[in-house]
Amino acid sequence: MDLRIAITDDLNSEREKLSSAIIAPFSKVGLNVGNIDEYTSGEELLRQFSAGRYDLIFLDIYMGGMSGVETAKRIRTLDKNVMLVFVTTSNEFASESYAVKANFYLLKPVRAESIRQLAETVAQQLKNTGCAAALPDGTVIPLSSLVYTSCSGHYVNVFLVGNEPLKIRTTHKIMEESLSKYEGVISCNKGMLVSLANVARIDGENFLMINGDTVPISRRKMTQIKNDYTRFVLNRIHSEFEKDQVTVK
């Protein structure tokens, strides 16, 4: 999974150290660190921030201008889900970090063991929220990025939105055991799994996926699979309607 990360600290040296320190530990738990955006202040971060832009934000508490705690409060009014990590030389703001639902607290100088624990916590929280899926080799991917899987010999190719396919040495059966527990991931043909969330439409006896690929539907299970897809779409529409109703209230 490519994590979208922001590091906010008014000291360039601290941003560089943290940026370098997180890559290897995160990779070990299947989290690939993608682009890391660096900000020198809370104000600068907030000018660029929008809901869903980042998966993880590191905030130094003691900064010139807006503090990390105040920045976190502003972020929480816009995004309830982004993970927040406070980085500081003191733990006196522990109660404030709880109030803004910070996910972790790092004390400077940041130790390698703390980064390792953070990486494990982030990976576990992503799995628990259903936002991420764990593949048989330990790789973690955003569930929303899964398009379909296809077995080829001793490998399974995992096709993702916006990324190159992953080639994993495993069997279709093991891959199915790993992914079928997630909502909307079904077996549609021999050696193939499909994410119904990323189906553009049904075209005859095939799923047309949002990446343009065509995935055949088993003739034997055609009626059942089409019914599953219809129910999935209707449930999504119902869920979105309920969210809109809550927003209106």
Side-chain angles (χ1 to χ4, degrees):
M1 175 178 183
D2 287 341
L3 280 181
R4 300 161 298 172
I5 295 175
I7 297 177
T8 307
D9 195 307
D10 53 0
L11 295 178
N12 182 58
S13 59
E14 293 295 328
R15 295 196 306 273
E16 289 182 350
K17 282 192 291 186
L18 186 56
S19 180
S20 299
I22 63 178
I23 295 175
F26 275 59
S27 179
K28 285 184 178 179
V29 295
L31 299 173
N32 181 52
V33 176
N35 290 332
I36 300 177
D37 293 336
E38 296 185 9
Y39 298 97
T40 60
S41 67
E43 291 89 342
E44 184 183 11
L45 167 63
L46 290 171
R47 282 195 293 270
Q48 301 297 322
F49 184 78
S50 60
R53 178 165 184 169
Y54 296 112
D55 301 300
L56 182 64
I57 298 176
F58 291 88
L59 291 167
D60 181 35
I61 288 184
Y62 296 104
M63 293 186 289
M66 187 181 295
S67 71
V69 172
E70 183 58 34
T71 303
K73 290 178 180 177
R74 302 281 185 90
I75 288 172
R76 277 289 176 248
T77 65
L78 301 170
D79 193 326
K80 306 295 184 185
N81 299 316
V82 61
M83 287 179 281
L84 301 177
V85 179
F86 282 137
V87 187
T88 183
T89 55
S90 170
N91 60 9
E92 65 179 281
F93 287 94
S95 60
E96 285 86 347
S97 68
Y98 178 79
V100 296
K101 297 182 180 178
N103 300 78
F104 214 82
Y105 207 100
L106 292 177
L107 287 176
K108 294 181 180 180
V110 178
R111 298 180 298 112
E113 176 62 17
S114 297
I115 296 293
R116 184 191 66 78
Q117 292 175 0
L118 170 63
E120 292 176 352
T121 298
V122 170
Q124 190 59 52
Q125 289 192 8
L126 287 171
K127 294 174 188 176
N128 290 345
T129 58
C131 295
L135 301 180
D137 67 344
T139 300
V140 179
I141 62 170
L143 191 55
S144 61
S145 73
L146 176 65
V147 182
Y148 69 98
T149 72
S150 178
C151 185
S152 177
H154 297 294
Y155 293 87
V156 173
N157 296 307
V158 182
F159 294 85
L160 305 169
V161 176
N163 284 295
E164 291 296 314
L166 300 176
K167 189 174 184 179
I168 298 174
R169 188 176 178 84
T170 188
T171 65
H172 170 71
K173 182 179 179 181
I174 293 175
M175 183 64 76
E176 184 174 11
E177 289 173 353
S178 297
L179 295 180
S180 61
K181 60 188 175 185
Y182 298 105
E183 183 183 10
V185 180
I186 65 170
S187 175
C188 64
N189 212 322
K190 186 177 180 180
M192 302 188 81
L193 298 172
V194 68
S195 173
L196 297 179
N198 286 323
V199 171
R201 68 175 188 273
I202 293 178
D203 184 15
E205 298 182 350
N206 302 290
F207 280 126
L208 181 61
M209 309 307 295
I210 63 170
N211 66 348
D213 290 352
T214 298
V215 177
I217 302 172
S218 167
R219 288 186 177 182
R220 183 172 58 84
K221 299 192 294 182
M222 181 73 65
T223 300
Q224 175 195 330
I225 290 174
K226 286 187 174 182
N227 287 340
D228 287 344
Y229 176 63
T230 300
R231 278 194 297 270
F232 179 82
V233 172
L234 290 176
N235 286 338
R236 273 205 152 188
I237 293 172
H238 180 68
S239 296
E240 290 301 319
F241 176 76
E242 287 188 330
K243 287 180 182 177
D244 290 341
Q245 291 297 100
V246 170
T247 301
V248 170
K249 290 178 182 179

